[in-house]
Amino acid sequence: VLVGHVGWANFAKKWLEREDGQPMTDDDLDLSVPHKLMINAMTQDIGQEEVPIVKRNYDELNPIERHNMLASTFLANNWPDKSTKKSDSAFAGPTIETPQLYLHQWQFPLSDTAGRKLCHQSKPLPNHIFGEDLLKYWLDLPQCVGDNPFQYIFMGASETISKLHRDNGGLAITIAPIVGEKECVLVHRSDGPTCLYHLRAQLDQVNLHEFPLMAGTRVWKTVIKPGEILLMPQGTYHQCRNVTPCLSYSRFYLDTVNLVPFLQSMVDDDAPEIDHGEALWNCATELRRRVDEFFDDTRLCKRQQLPMPRLTEDLVQIVDTLRALRNVIREIARRIALKIMLKTKAVPTVPNENIENNENTSEEKTSGPMKVKVGKESSARAWATMVEDIDICLHDFRYRNHDSIPKLRLRKDGNDEVCREITESDKPKFDIHRTELERVFTFMTKKSPYLMEDSTIATVEQIHPAERLVIQFLHKEVTATVHTVAPVMKAALLSFEDYTSFFDEYIPYENLRLPVAGESSVEVDPEHVVPGKTLIERKEGEEYRGVVQSTHSEPFLHVEMDIGKDLSLKRWLPFSAVRGYSTDNV
């Protein structure tokens, strides 16, 4: 929790007045000084905006029943004044019904009118806390160009609760109350799937008999108030509750610290609302332009024997950020080029929208690490060219004060046949869905409507082939038919390079092989199946190379999951993934 930073929510200054009666000043807004919300001023400023509304106690795991409402209507009927709060001394007065609606996650930068009023006012956090805000380079909407588009307002009565969840995308999150107090419960990002059994275990209902690993859950709990900013690392599970009526400001954040999780989110395609590729491309382009501009100014001053421009801390930060971006972009280019060369498996490709026909494709399959459309080879060259441009930029910057700039020898990929020249129209637009199966799965709801109430299954012995279950798969509940029940099985969870987590798979030890130079593969000693080991899965006559993520010896089920649109997926899954019986069980 950060304290002492002022100006973080400057946009709200016109909605507030100090409780001590002192006039508001032109200084940055210091929320550690008590303020009260002026509903009339807020209504006058943003009352005509349409804002998203949900029921007060919604469930993050369910599809949220939300609709839009004029902000003026919400403010008039759902923000309690002193006469509507029945317990807190600051809201003393007669008791009436608590408002039941919650202004949930209003992304104001996307509104042309609200964005022009509220964007570009937040005073950045110091660089030793967060680095350069890379999201501000993503969109070029007139109302928020040069500002972070992921800024949100939340507003609701006391006891409004968001259930424990995590936000995908690989982004850090900040939460800052403007008025009122908010209780936040945080769970380490590694503990949701393990210690909380994919969130089946409830923090407010500890049951160490059914969920014994709950005892190892890393949990933090705090109540934040105006003047404090909660900083959450990417992937943190969190649950929020308004202790009092609360207006809060939240934003997502991308800097060099979470570039790798951001890249993994792009590969996993777990946040379709984010165009990761475009964000990285635009950011690299703008930072490179700034460094080139400084280089040009330096060379001009040197030629004219004028004082050299000063190297500022901000520019040093930009150069360091550009170096980090260079490596992430190189990884994108490497993955694409590698898969194009192999021509036998999928590639996270950047399609060239100017070419309609693509002859360099392979057929799609619907199971296992798949062969899918390879896409346009020029996409590999697009990212490779960006890497070269950054390398040249950083090289010139390094030797800016020299009389002459040494020649830079660029490192080539060794696969020039897939790195042909491109035009400006080949600027990449990312679309890394692999198959129709993945596309359909992406838009499935998180919670299955077919889960039978009170159908918890205590032991694997209760399950039989042909029964219909609801299974937890990649944070979503899906219905599945049981094919095989294995009371105890040794299996390794394999991750296949350049594939999304959708293709991670539990592989029985007997199907694993050890890659050997000059040979196809050999049987592997079970003692050598350890995390980090590269092994080969044999499946239907094909072999797939993967890296062991974890090993397991526990009950397993071989199931066929219903993905939708007559598509299905067969997988071995641990018994712990079972949520209960399906209502369509025969």
Side-chain angles (χ1 to χ4, degrees), residues 390-409:
I390 294 174
D391 285 343
I392 293 171
C393 171
L394 294 174
H395 175 80
D396 290 348
F397 174 80
R398 178 182 180 184
Y399 293 102
R400 65 191 181 279
N401 292 323
H402 287 219
D403 292 335
S404 62
I405 306 297
K407 184 177 180 180
L408 173 65
R409 297 185 61 184

Side-chain angles (χ1 to χ4, degrees), residues 512-541:
L512 295 173
R513 295 293 183 270
L514 188 68
V516 177
E519 302 181 36
S520 175
S521 60
V522 298
E523 292 188 5
V524 59
D525 188 330
E527 294 183 358
H528 294 160
V529 182
V530 294
K533 186 76 171 180
T534 298
L535 297 174
I536 288 176
E537 175 206 7
R538 295 189 63 182
K539 185 174 184 179
E540 298 176 356

Side-chain angles (χ1 to χ4, degrees), residues 73 86 115 123 168 204 216 265 292 316 329 432 465 475 535 562:
T73 303
K86 59 185 179 181
K123 185 177 179 180
N168 294 329
D204 56 352
S265 173
D292 283 341
V316 172
I329 292 172
I432 55 175
H475 305 294
L535 297 174
D562 301 332

Side-chain angles (χ1 to χ4, degrees), residues 344-511:
T344 57
K345 295 182 183 179
V347 51
T349 183
V350 186
N352 178 349
E353 61 185 1
N354 297 308
I355 303 177
E356 293 184 359
N357 298 317
N358 174 28
E359 298 179 356
N360 298 299
T361 62
S362 54
E363 296 181 355
E364 294 189 2
K365 294 184 178 181
T366 56
S367 65
M370 307 178 189
K371 300 177 181 179
V372 302
K373 294 181 180 179
V374 168
K376 312 302 179 292
E377 294 171 349
S378 60
S379 62
R381 182 59 188 165
W383 290 104
T385 299
M386 173 62 82
V387 173
E388 293 177 0
D389 290 343
I390 294 174
D391 285 343
I392 293 171
C393 171
L394 294 174
H395 175 80
D396 290 348
F397 174 80
R398 178 182 180 184
Y399 293 102
R400 65 191 181 279
N401 292 323
H402 287 219
D403 292 335
S404 62
I405 306 297
K407 184 177 180 180
L408 173 65
R409 297 185 61 184
L410 294 171
R411 184 187 297 271
K412 296 298 182 181
D413 288 339
N415 55 314
D416 291 337
E417 69 277 8
V418 300
C419 291
R420 298 192 291 264
E421 291 299 322
I422 62 170
T423 65
E424 179 61 24
S425 61
D426 289 318
K427 177 180 176 180
K429 295 183 180 297
F430 246 84
D431 180 12
I432 55 175
H433 286 113
R434 303 290 194 269
T435 63
E436 180 65 16
L437 185 69
E438 256 190 302
R439 283 190 287 271
V440 173
F441 181 80
T442 298
F443 294 101
M444 288 182 65
T445 58
K446 290 186 177 180
K447 200 151 189 172
S448 171
Y450 300 105
L451 179 60
M452 186 182 300
E453 294 185 4
D454 302 322
S455 64
T456 300
I457 302 175
T459 64
V460 72
E461 286 76 15
Q462 297 176 248
I463 301 175
H464 303 90
E467 287 185 325
R468 298 276 290 169
L469 306 175
V470 173
I471 301 287
Q472 188 84 25
F473 179 66
L474 294 180
H475 305 294
K476 293 186 179 183
E477 293 178 351
V478 298
T479 54
T481 301
V482 179
H483 288 319
T484 307
V485 179
V488 178
M489 186 178 83
K490 290 186 175 182
L493 178 62
L494 258 63
S495 177
F496 300 91
E497 186 183 25
D498 301 323
Y499 299 105
T500 71
S501 59
F502 187 82
F503 299 115
D504 291 358
E505 192 169 352
Y506 292 95
I507 309 298
Y509 276 22
E510 57 265 29
N511 292 344

